[in-house]
Amino acid sequence: MSFTGKYELQSQENFEPFMKALGLPDDQIQKGKDIKSISEIVQDGKKFKVTVTTGSKVMHNEFTIGEECEMEMLTGEKVKAIVQLEGNNRLVANLKGMKSVTELNGDTITNTLTMGDLTYKRISKRI
């Protein structure tokens, strides 16, 4: 299954508490909570390029399945991570105490970030 495509954010759960736990300032959290972000994924075999545009903020990450890479977090901090593919539709990475799971089902992509007992969930649809 190919992840390649553009996806628009449809809904999210626990955005504010999760961003607060990450240490983002309240003004950024308020600005970010209602912006519909667009994620663009380009998959070439085991290589991925992911661009997430939220308003004027653009986050760009590139990685190869199973190889260490540098990834930008929501806070702008860069951390080392290894992304694994589970099955043919699940990308899993551990980023500095946070687990990221991205699952593709048909035209819907669900990204779940877990830190301790706090979970942030984003659901996006292919456009």
Side-chain angles (χ1 to χ4, degrees), residues 65-126:
I65 298 297
E67 292 180 17
E68 188 175 71
C69 64
E70 190 173 77
M71 298 195 81
E72 183 181 350
M73 294 185 53
L74 298 165
T75 56
E77 181 184 359
K78 295 199 183 297
V79 297
K80 297 240 181 270
I82 296 174
V83 181
Q84 301 291 357
L85 182 64
E86 291 182 355
N88 65 351
N89 70 329
R90 249 170 99 105
L91 297 170
V92 180
N94 287 299
L95 313 162
K96 198 182 164 191
M98 181 169 64
K99 183 175 183 179
S100 169
V101 178
T102 302
E103 191 166 353
L104 180 63
N105 288 307
D107 285 338
T108 303
I109 210 160
T110 304
N111 181 230
T112 308
L113 299 173
T114 309
M115 192 169 53
D117 57 2
L118 199 53
T119 299
Y120 166 47
K121 190 174 192 177
R122 297 166 48 94
I123 298 170
S124 301
K125 278 216 173 306
R126 195 184 296 262

Side-chain angles (χ1 to χ4, degrees), residues 25-57:
D26 284 343
D27 61 324
Q28 269 188 16
I29 293 171
Q30 290 310 313
K31 270 191 228 157
K33 72 174 183 175
D34 297 320
I35 297 174
K36 289 284 187 230
S37 71
I38 303 281
S39 301
E40 186 170 3
I41 301 173
V42 177
Q43 180 183 356
D44 179 11
K46 290 184 164 199
K47 289 186 188 304
F48 285 77
K49 288 182 186 174
V50 181
T51 306
V52 181
T53 307
T54 308
S56 61
K57 182 171 172 26

Side-chain angles (χ1 to χ4, degrees), residues 55-68:
S56 61
K57 182 171 172 26
V58 178
M59 195 167 75
H60 184 76
N61 284 312
E62 290 187 31
F63 59 88
T64 301
I65 298 297
E67 292 180 17
E68 188 175 71

